Amino acid sequence: GSIDSAKIANAAITSANIGDAQVNTLQIAGEAVIVPRAQYTPNTEVFYGNGEFVLNSVTINSMGGAVAIQISIFELLASAKGLTPNTVQYLQVKRNDTVLRVFSFTHTGLTQETIDATFASNPDALYPKLVTTGAFPTILDAPPSGNNTYRLVLSVTGSNNGFMSTISERSLYLMGAKR
């Protein structure tokens, strides 16, 4: 038989096979919809001296739900000509202009004698000081409603002009939970 018109007051349906559906009001549980956003940068880039350098930028509208943020880098290299004993590299995770998390890497200079000896044999030498690789802890954020832009930023302070930051293969991944 067939049902041409039916009114079902309060049905419990555990599984349904529906071709086309028309729904006047849909109510779903909080954080039941997950929206991923990501940006992957495969190339290596070099940044000189002090400053803030945006590595990745991703925008998401989480509609007031939570956002999980994952960053990863394959390699962050610090190198310099000459001493730069006070240099610090920071990887910052920002939402719009708000800093959510900072990972800092202190640069320690070689002794002047070592540098002089190396310069004598190779005047164009760069001195690797720090290599950081891998993934970082997941960051959880409760952003305001609307579009929010998340950025992975390399910030360098205290360096001389010979300081060089090289970063390769990095990603910024967002997973937003909407209502």
Side-chain angles (χ1 to χ4, degrees):
S2 70
I3 300 175
D4 291 335
S5 176
K7 184 173 184 178
I8 303 171
N10 199 359
I13 302 171
T14 56
S15 178
N17 184 354
I18 302 171
D20 292 325
Q22 180 179 354
V23 178
N24 291 336
T25 303
L26 179 63
Q27 294 181 352
I28 58 173
E31 300 187 354
V33 178
I34 302 299
V35 177
R37 295 283 185 268
Q39 185 183 58
Y40 166 70
T41 306
N43 56 312
T44 298
E45 291 185 77
V46 178
F47 304 96
Y48 295 94
N50 298 317
E52 283 200 354
F53 312 99
V54 176
L55 303 175
N56 293 87
S57 180
V58 178
T59 300
I60 190 170
N61 185 338
S62 64
M63 300 176 77
V67 174
I69 307 154
Q70 293 177 322
I71 64 170
S72 65
I73 59 170
F74 175 69
E75 183 175 78
L76 173 60
L77 173 68
S79 54
K81 286 187 175 183
L83 287 174
T84 56
N86 300 317
T87 301
V88 182
Q89 290 174 309
Y90 302 94
L91 281 178
Q92 300 176 336
V93 178
K94 294 184 175 184
R95 177 193 359 100
N96 303 322
D97 293 323
T98 302
V99 176
L100 301 177
R101 189 75 184 266
V102 178
F103 303 96
S104 63
F105 310 98
T106 302
H107 166 75
T108 56
L110 294 172
T111 65
Q112 190 64 47
E113 292 77 18
T114 305
I115 288 173
D116 288 342
T118 307
F119 268 154
S121 62
N122 182 4
D124 296 322
L126 291 173
Y127 299 95
K129 310 291 192 206
L130 172 76
V131 176
T132 303
T133 61
F136 297 84
T138 299
I139 301 163
L140 296 177
D141 186 35
S145 292
N147 283 337
N148 290 284
T149 300
Y150 291 83
R151 291 178 183 85
L152 177 60
V153 177
L154 172 65
S155 177
V156 180
T157 62
S159 75
N160 65 21
N161 290 332
F163 189 82
M164 198 170 76
S165 297
T166 305
I167 191 160
S168 59
E169 249 188 297
R170 69 249 182 212
S171 64
L172 174 60
Y173 177 81
L174 307 176
M175 190 166 52
K178 295 184 179 184
R179 285 196 74 75

Tab-separated table of all heavy atoms in Angstrom, residues 137-177:
chain	number	residue	atom	x	y	z
A	137	PRO	N	51.558	21.479	20.226
A	137	PRO	CA	50.295	21.086	20.863
A	137	PRO	C	49.092	21.765	20.205
A	137	PRO	O	49.204	22.901	19.725
A	137	PRO	CB	50.442	21.577	22.306
A	137	PRO	CG	51.880	21.903	22.486
A	137	PRO	CD	52.458	22.156	21.142
A	138	THR	N	47.974	21.089	20.201
A	138	THR	CA	46.745	21.667	19.674
A	138	THR	C	46.282	22.785	20.599
A	138	THR	O	46.316	22.663	21.816
A	138	THR	CB	45.649	20.596	19.571
A	138	THR	OG1	46.100	19.581	18.671
A	138	THR	CG2	44.341	21.180	19.056
A	139	ILE	N	45.853	23.888	19.992
A	139	ILE	CA	45.373	25.048	20.740
A	139	ILE	C	43.854	25.086	20.593
A	139	ILE	O	43.329	24.910	19.489
A	139	ILE	CB	45.982	26.343	20.170
A	139	ILE	CG1	47.510	26.278	20.256
A	139	ILE	CG2	45.438	27.569	20.888
A	139	ILE	CD1	48.203	27.289	19.374
A	140	LEU	N	43.145	25.293	21.691
A	140	LEU	CA	41.685	25.419	21.639
A	140	LEU	C	41.316	26.877	21.856
A	140	LEU	O	41.827	27.528	22.763
A	140	LEU	CB	41.037	24.542	22.704
A	140	LEU	CG	41.258	23.040	22.535
A	140	LEU	CD1	40.626	22.274	23.686
A	140	LEU	CD2	40.708	22.556	21.210
A	141	ASP	N	40.416	27.376	21.016
A	141	ASP	CA	40.018	28.781	21.078
A	141	ASP	C	38.499	28.883	21.093
A	141	ASP	O	37.808	28.052	20.510
A	141	ASP	CB	40.591	29.537	19.865
A	141	ASP	CG	40.353	31.035	19.934
A	141	ASP	OD1	40.384	31.582	21.061
A	141	ASP	OD2	40.151	31.658	18.873
A	142	ALA	N	38.005	29.901	21.778
A	142	ALA	CA	36.569	30.203	21.788
A	142	ALA	C	36.401	31.591	21.169
A	142	ALA	O	36.317	32.594	21.872
A	142	ALA	CB	36.028	30.173	23.215
A	143	PRO	N	36.371	31.663	19.841
A	143	PRO	CA	36.332	32.959	19.166
A	143	PRO	C	34.943	33.588	19.210
A	143	PRO	O	33.948	32.901	19.441
A	143	PRO	CB	36.707	32.607	17.735
A	143	PRO	CG	36.157	31.236	17.548
A	143	PRO	CD	36.351	30.556	18.887
A	144	PRO	N	34.878	34.904	18.965
A	144	PRO	CA	33.570	35.529	18.815
A	144	PRO	C	32.915	35.064	17.517
A	144	PRO	O	33.591	34.554	16.622
A	144	PRO	CB	33.898	37.027	18.762
A	144	PRO	CG	35.314	37.094	18.300
A	144	PRO	CD	35.983	35.851	18.818
A	145	SER	N	31.603	35.244	17.413
A	145	SER	CA	30.895	34.859	16.195
A	145	SER	C	31.379	35.684	15.010
A	145	SER	O	31.876	36.788	15.174
A	145	SER	CB	29.391	35.059	16.369
A	145	SER	OG	28.889	34.131	17.306
A	146	GLY	N	31.224	35.129	13.836
A	146	GLY	CA	31.622	35.818	12.614
A	146	GLY	C	32.946	35.287	12.091
A	146	GLY	O	33.516	34.340	12.632
A	147	ASN	N	33.423	35.896	11.017
A	147	ASN	CA	34.687	35.471	10.427
A	147	ASN	C	35.852	35.852	11.325
A	147	ASN	O	35.923	36.981	11.819
A	147	ASN	CB	34.883	36.119	9.054
A	147	ASN	CG	34.034	35.451	7.991
A	147	ASN	OD1	33.647	34.299	8.134
A	147	ASN	ND2	33.742	36.172	6.928
A	148	ASN	N	36.754	34.924	11.536
A	148	ASN	CA	37.976	35.147	12.298
A	148	ASN	C	39.143	34.634	11.469
A	148	ASN	O	39.071	33.540	10.905
A	148	ASN	CB	37.934	34.428	13.645
A	148	ASN	CG	36.931	35.060	14.582
A	148	ASN	OD1	37.173	36.119	15.146
A	148	ASN	ND2	35.777	34.419	14.741
A	149	THR	N	40.201	35.437	11.401
A	149	THR	CA	41.383	35.049	10.645
A	149	THR	C	42.478	34.634	11.618
A	149	THR	O	42.841	35.392	12.520
A	149	THR	CB	41.871	36.208	9.751
A	149	THR	OG1	40.825	36.549	8.838
A	149	THR	CG2	43.109	35.810	8.969
A	150	TYR	N	42.970	33.430	11.418
A	150	TYR	CA	44.051	32.887	12.232
A	150	TYR	C	45.333	32.955	11.418
A	150	TYR	O	45.332	32.673	10.213
A	150	TYR	CB	43.744	31.442	12.642
A	150	TYR	CG	42.610	31.340	13.621
A	150	TYR	CD1	41.277	31.339	13.194
A	150	TYR	CD2	42.851	31.269	14.986
A	150	TYR	CE1	40.235	31.257	14.097
A	150	TYR	CE2	41.810	31.179	15.903
A	150	TYR	CZ	40.511	31.183	15.444
A	150	TYR	OH	39.471	31.106	16.346
A	151	ARG	N	46.420	33.333	12.085
A	151	ARG	CA	47.699	33.479	11.404
A	151	ARG	C	48.795	32.761	12.188
A	151	ARG	O	48.813	32.804	13.414
A	151	ARG	CB	48.075	34.953	11.265
A	151	ARG	CG	47.188	35.720	10.305
A	151	ARG	CD	47.576	37.201	10.225
A	151	ARG	NE	46.667	37.909	9.356
A	151	ARG	CZ	45.499	38.422	9.737
A	151	ARG	NH1	45.110	38.292	10.982
A	151	ARG	NH2	44.735	39.053	8.872
A	152	LEU	N	49.709	32.171	11.453
A	152	LEU	CA	50.958	31.672	12.013
A	152	LEU	C	52.012	32.695	11.637
A	152	LEU	O	52.231	32.968	10.455
A	152	LEU	CB	51.299	30.294	11.438
A	152	LEU	CG	52.622	29.680	11.884
A	152	LEU	CD1	52.668	29.501	13.406
A	152	LEU	CD2	52.861	28.347	11.182
A	153	VAL	N	52.636	33.306	12.659
A	153	VAL	CA	53.541	34.432	12.448
A	153	VAL	C	54.909	34.105	13.034
A	153	VAL	O	55.009	33.636	14.177
A	153	VAL	CB	52.977	35.718	13.121
A	153	VAL	CG1	53.946	36.882	12.975
A	153	VAL	CG2	51.620	36.069	12.531
A	154	LEU	N	55.951	34.358	12.242
A	154	LEU	CA	57.320	34.287	12.746
A	154	LEU	C	57.721	35.689	13.153
A	154	LEU	O	57.630	36.629	12.359
A	154	LEU	CB	58.267	33.775	11.665
A	154	LEU	CG	59.759	33.829	12.001
A	154	LEU	CD1	60.089	32.895	13.164
A	154	LEU	CD2	60.600	33.491	10.778
A	155	SER	N	58.134	35.850	14.398
A	155	SER	CA	58.577	37.146	14.910
A	155	SER	C	60.011	36.992	15.397
A	155	SER	O	60.327	36.044	16.112
A	155	SER	CB	57.658	37.593	16.048
A	155	SER	OG	58.108	38.813	16.591
A	156	VAL	N	60.875	37.926	14.992
A	156	VAL	CA	62.282	37.870	15.372
A	156	VAL	C	62.652	39.183	16.044
A	156	VAL	O	62.328	40.262	15.539
A	156	VAL	CB	63.184	37.632	14.142
A	156	VAL	CG1	64.657	37.566	14.551
A	156	VAL	CG2	62.776	36.359	13.413
A	157	THR	N	63.312	39.094	17.197
A	157	THR	CA	63.766	40.293	17.907
A	157	THR	C	65.223	40.134	18.315
A	157	THR	O	65.707	39.021	18.506
A	157	THR	CB	62.937	40.549	19.181
A	157	THR	OG1	63.111	39.445	20.073
A	157	THR	CG2	61.465	40.720	18.876
A	158	GLY	N	65.910	41.258	18.450
A	158	GLY	CA	67.266	41.276	18.997
A	158	GLY	C	68.353	40.838	18.054
A	158	GLY	O	69.468	40.570	18.481
A	159	SER	N	68.084	40.760	16.746
A	159	SER	CA	69.098	40.260	15.823
A	159	SER	C	69.848	41.406	15.155
A	159	SER	O	69.411	42.552	15.179
A	159	SER	CB	68.462	39.378	14.754
A	159	SER	OG	67.779	40.166	13.811
A	160	ASN	N	70.963	41.067	14.530
A	160	ASN	CA	71.627	42.036	13.663
A	160	ASN	C	71.179	41.787	12.228
A	160	ASN	O	70.405	40.872	11.956
A	160	ASN	CB	73.156	41.949	13.816
A	160	ASN	CG	73.701	40.607	13.344
A	160	ASN	OD1	73.079	39.882	12.570
A	160	ASN	ND2	74.885	40.263	13.821
A	161	ASN	N	71.675	42.601	11.306
A	161	ASN	CA	71.227	42.468	9.917
A	161	ASN	C	71.683	41.174	9.264
A	161	ASN	O	71.161	40.776	8.240
A	161	ASN	CB	71.708	43.669	9.102
A	161	ASN	CG	70.977	44.931	9.495
A	161	ASN	OD1	69.841	44.870	9.949
A	161	ASN	ND2	71.622	46.077	9.341
A	162	GLY	N	72.688	40.518	9.857
A	162	GLY	CA	73.170	39.270	9.286
A	162	GLY	C	72.380	38.051	9.715
A	162	GLY	O	72.660	36.946	9.287
A	163	PHE	N	71.360	38.241	10.546
A	163	PHE	CA	70.572	37.114	11.044
A	163	PHE	C	69.564	36.677	9.995
A	163	PHE	O	68.901	37.493	9.367
A	163	PHE	CB	69.851	37.501	12.331
A	163	PHE	CG	69.192	36.337	13.011
A	163	PHE	CD1	69.920	35.488	13.819
A	163	PHE	CD2	67.844	36.082	12.833
A	163	PHE	CE1	69.314	34.401	14.445
A	163	PHE	CE2	67.231	35.005	13.444
A	163	PHE	CZ	67.979	34.166	14.254
A	164	MET	N	69.439	35.371	9.825
A	164	MET	CA	68.576	34.824	8.792
A	164	MET	C	67.710	33.728	9.388
A	164	MET	O	68.224	32.824	10.054
A	164	MET	CB	69.470	34.239	7.697
A	164	MET	CG	68.809	34.023	6.387
A	164	MET	SD	70.055	33.621	5.123
A	164	MET	CE	70.426	31.943	5.519
A	165	SER	N	66.409	33.806	9.174
A	165	SER	CA	65.480	32.748	9.560
A	165	SER	C	65.021	32.041	8.300
A	165	SER	O	64.549	32.683	7.363
A	165	SER	CB	64.256	33.325	10.283
A	165	SER	OG	64.627	33.948	11.484
A	166	THR	N	65.157	30.735	8.285
A	166	THR	CA	64.709	29.938	7.149
A	166	THR	C	63.643	28.978	7.656
A	166	THR	O	63.870	28.249	8.616
A	166	THR	CB	65.882	29.142	6.542
A	166	THR	OG1	66.927	30.042	6.206
A	166	THR	CG2	65.434	28.384	5.304
A	167	ILE	N	62.490	29.010	7.018
A	167	ILE	CA	61.411	28.108	7.430
A	167	ILE	C	60.917	27.365	6.203
A	167	ILE	O	60.799	27.930	5.122
A	167	ILE	CB	60.268	28.861	8.141
A	167	ILE	CG1	59.296	27.873	8.789
A	167	ILE	CG2	59.558	29.831	7.219
A	167	ILE	CD1	58.438	28.465	9.872
A	168	SER	N	60.682	26.065	6.393
A	168	SER	CA	60.242	25.256	5.259
A	168	SER	C	59.063	24.389	5.656
A	168	SER	O	58.925	24.007	6.809
A	168	SER	CB	61.396	24.381	4.764
A	168	SER	OG	61.860	23.545	5.786
A	169	GLU	N	58.229	24.132	4.693
A	169	GLU	CA	57.082	23.237	4.840
A	169	GLU	C	56.345	23.418	6.141
A	169	GLU	O	56.675	22.824	7.146
A	169	GLU	CB	57.535	21.781	4.701
A	169	GLU	CG	57.030	21.154	3.443
A	169	GLU	CD	57.320	19.668	3.400
A	169	GLU	OE1	58.503	19.315	3.405
A	169	GLU	OE2	56.349	18.897	3.364
A	170	ARG	N	55.316	24.231	6.101
A	170	ARG	CA	54.525	24.462	7.315
A	170	ARG	C	53.043	24.448	6.973
A	170	ARG	O	52.660	24.602	5.819
A	170	ARG	CB	54.907	25.770	7.986
A	170	ARG	CG	54.508	27.006	7.217
A	170	ARG	CD	55.687	27.711	6.674
A	170	ARG	NE	55.323	28.933	5.976
A	170	ARG	CZ	56.002	29.378	4.967
A	170	ARG	NH1	57.048	28.726	4.514
A	170	ARG	NH2	55.657	30.503	4.376
A	171	SER	N	52.224	24.289	8.029
A	171	SER	CA	50.774	24.270	7.813
A	171	SER	C	50.061	24.858	9.014
A	171	SER	O	50.563	24.849	10.135
A	171	SER	CB	50.279	22.849	7.547
A	171	SER	OG	50.500	22.041	8.676
A	172	LEU	N	48.894	25.377	8.735
A	172	LEU	CA	47.968	25.891	9.746
A	172	LEU	C	46.632	25.228	9.461
A	172	LEU	O	46.081	25.357	8.372
A	172	LEU	CB	47.862	27.413	9.654
A	172	LEU	CG	46.833	28.108	10.538
A	172	LEU	CD1	47.109	27.853	12.010
A	172	LEU	CD2	46.829	29.609	10.248
A	173	TYR	N	46.130	24.470	10.444
A	173	TYR	CA	44.903	23.690	10.269
A	173	TYR	C	43.909	24.092	11.347
A	173	TYR	O	44.240	24.115	12.536
A	173	TYR	CB	45.216	22.196	10.373
A	173	TYR	CG	44.006	21.301	10.290
A	173	TYR	CD1	43.440	20.971	9.061
A	173	TYR	CD2	43.419	20.788	11.446
A	173	TYR	CE1	42.326	20.148	8.989
A	173	TYR	CE2	42.306	19.962	11.379
A	173	TYR	CZ	41.767	19.652	10.147
A	173	TYR	OH	40.668	18.855	10.077
A	174	LEU	N	42.702	24.438	10.935
A	174	LEU	CA	41.629	24.821	11.853
A	174	LEU	C	40.494	23.818	11.737
A	174	LEU	O	40.140	23.379	10.642
A	174	LEU	CB	41.080	26.205	11.516
A	174	LEU	CG	42.072	27.355	11.395
A	174	LEU	CD1	41.345	28.619	10.971
A	174	LEU	CD2	42.813	27.570	12.688
A	175	MET	N	39.893	23.496	12.879
A	175	MET	CA	38.698	22.666	12.883
A	175	MET	C	37.684	23.367	13.766
A	175	MET	O	37.857	23.456	14.984
A	175	MET	CB	39.007	21.263	13.408
A	175	MET	CG	37.865	20.309	13.208
A	175	MET	SD	38.327	18.575	13.445
A	175	MET	CE	39.106	18.606	15.034
A	176	GLY	N	36.669	23.931	13.131
A	176	GLY	CA	35.647	24.687	13.864
A	176	GLY	C	34.408	23.852	14.091
A	176	GLY	O	33.976	23.103	13.221
A	177	ALA	N	33.848	23.981	15.278
A	177	ALA	CA	32.605	23.275	15.625
A	177	ALA	C	31.473	24.271	15.658
A	177	ALA	O	31.484	25.215	16.423
A	177	ALA	CB	32.748	22.594	16.984
